[in-house]
Amino acid sequence: MAKCDVCGKDENMPYNCRHCGGTFCADHRLPENHDCTGLQDWNDPSGVFDSGFDDSVNGGTGSASASSRVLDKLPIDTGPGGPLAYFRGNMTYTFLALMWLTFGLQLIIGAVSAELMRSLFILHPYYPQYVWTWFTSIFAHGGLYHIVGNSIVIFFFGPLVERYVGSRDYAILFLVSGALAGLGQITIQIIQAGGASPFMGGVLGASGAALAILGVLTVLNPGLKVYLYFILPVPIWLLAAGYAVFSVFFLGTGGGGNIAHGAHLIGLLLGLGYGEYVKRTQNVRAPNQFQLGGGPGGPGGPGGPGGPGGRRRF
């Protein structure tokens, strides 16, 4: 459920304006009904293309969504057709862009100083006081397959969750679940090892957030069909249960290589809990069918390098 940017009305099926990126109810969904800034960019507040014949046609002023107002202040074109138009009111793709930008920074900084890269992007059991890594580690990844696997899940599932809970709550869910999954993973490592050590591996990756997104959809519609690799239809509850069993098994046996199974499980549980909250308080449901192409190793990808200074991918 989301609120209309004009009247504040709660909407189970909100409309997102493709011109300004705002969220509106049925009464205000048309550009002319919410003083759309996109029409202002076209120099046509009436929604009719201005041929230039009538020079008296001027852009109107009015309210827009908070995200649109922020983007309007940037020194580059953020209107329809502009380079940032794709990200207006869309936190899923904004987070995906940040993931890939962070991955690029990892490669650049790592080529200069591996130690600096680790201190900036890897959440380590021995240095949990590096608070910035609680969040930078969400966007950092251990390799190409790792980031591609997480990107696929977030790309397909993220917009569904964002549509039903709103961009603000979706952003909070993504960041909080990602951070708690990472912190939970290093806590498990410390308990299993009987204490923290500088030679322990750190964690990085967005799988905690990705599994939280999966958990939300599992509660909202457990029968949602996911077409793995665009071929095999699987209900989403079975997919979530498979991840849970897989993670619990390897946590109990101490196996699973360098994949952060604790982070996977924590992210999934957080998503299930938040999904139940949304279901009880907002009474929303997801679609009945969805198509997903899996990535190598699934969410989180394959395990990372082991040994001293290694890191767990999640």
Side-chain angles (χ1 to χ4, degrees):
M1 184 175 292
K3 291 184 179 295
C4 174
D5 290 339
V6 175
C7 63
K9 178 182 178 182
D10 290 327
E11 282 287 319
N12 286 332
M13 296 290 290
Y15 295 89
N16 291 104
C17 179
R18 64 185 179 89
H19 303 301
C20 67
T23 301
F24 305 100
C25 64
D27 294 333
H28 297 102
R29 67 184 180 90
L30 297 177
E32 56 268 30
N33 289 345
H34 60 260
D35 294 329
C36 181
T37 56
L39 296 180
Q40 182 178 348
D41 292 335
W42 286 350
N43 195 30
D44 185 7
S46 299
V48 180
F49 179 74
D50 178 19
S51 65
F53 179 79
D54 184 0
D55 291 334
S56 65
V57 177
N58 296 312
T61 59
S63 61
S65 67
S67 61
S68 299
R69 289 195 294 270
V70 172
L71 288 175
D72 287 338
K73 296 178 181 179
L74 296 178
I76 56 178
D77 181 16
T78 62
L84 294 184
Y86 197 60
F87 301 98
R88 296 175 70 96
N90 192 332
M91 290 307 302
T92 297
Y93 299 140
T94 299
F95 285 145
L96 284 171
L98 288 174
M99 282 167 52
W100 283 92
L101 287 172
T102 302
F103 185 63
L105 285 175
Q106 284 180 257
L107 297 178
I108 295 171
I109 297 174
V112 177
S113 171
E115 183 61 33
L116 178 60
M117 190 278 291
R118 286 192 291 267
S119 65
L120 288 176
F121 299 114
I122 298 178
L123 176 58
H124 198 281
Y126 200 67
Y127 304 105
Q129 69 273 22
Y130 291 177
V131 177
W132 59 88
T133 62
W134 298 6
F135 300 99
T136 58
S137 62
I138 302 172
F139 300 97
H141 286 80
L144 184 60
Y145 285 165
H146 189 201
I147 190 171
V148 168
N150 280 336
S151 295
I152 288 173
V153 175
I154 294 170
F155 178 83
F156 283 106
F157 287 150
L160 294 178
V161 174
E162 183 174 359
R163 177 180 179 183
Y164 286 99
V165 305
S167 294
R168 185 198 65 177
D169 290 350
Y170 174 83
I172 294 173
L173 170 70
F174 190 97
L175 294 173
V176 171
S177 60
L180 290 180
L183 291 170
Q185 175 63 42
I186 65 172
T187 300
I188 292 172
Q189 290 178 234
I190 292 172
I191 293 173
Q192 290 179 336
S197 165
F199 299 104
M200 298 174 68
V203 294
L204 75 173
S207 288
L211 267 295
I213 291 170
L214 183 70
V216 172
L217 288 179
T218 299
V219 173
L220 293 184
N221 195 332
L224 173 68
K225 289 183 180 179
V226 180
Y227 283 80
L228 292 178
Y229 300 98
F230 302 99
I231 299 174
L232 181 64
V234 177
I236 196 170
W237 72 263
L238 184 59
L239 186 65
Y243 271 111
V245 171
F246 189 74
S247 299
V248 170
F249 172 78
F250 282 109
L251 278 174
T253 59
N258 284 324
I259 297 177
H261 295 290
H264 286 191
L265 185 60
I266 292 170
L268 180 61
L269 291 176
L270 288 171
L272 292 172
Y274 182 68
E276 186 64 29
Y277 168 78
V278 171
K279 183 177 180 180
R280 290 177 179 272
T281 60
Q282 301 181 21
N283 192 29
V284 299
R285 287 180 63 85
N288 291 320
Q289 182 170 303
F290 195 70
Q291 186 165 309
L292 169 66
R311 50 190 178 269
R312 293 176 182 262
R313 303 177 180 187
F314 69 97

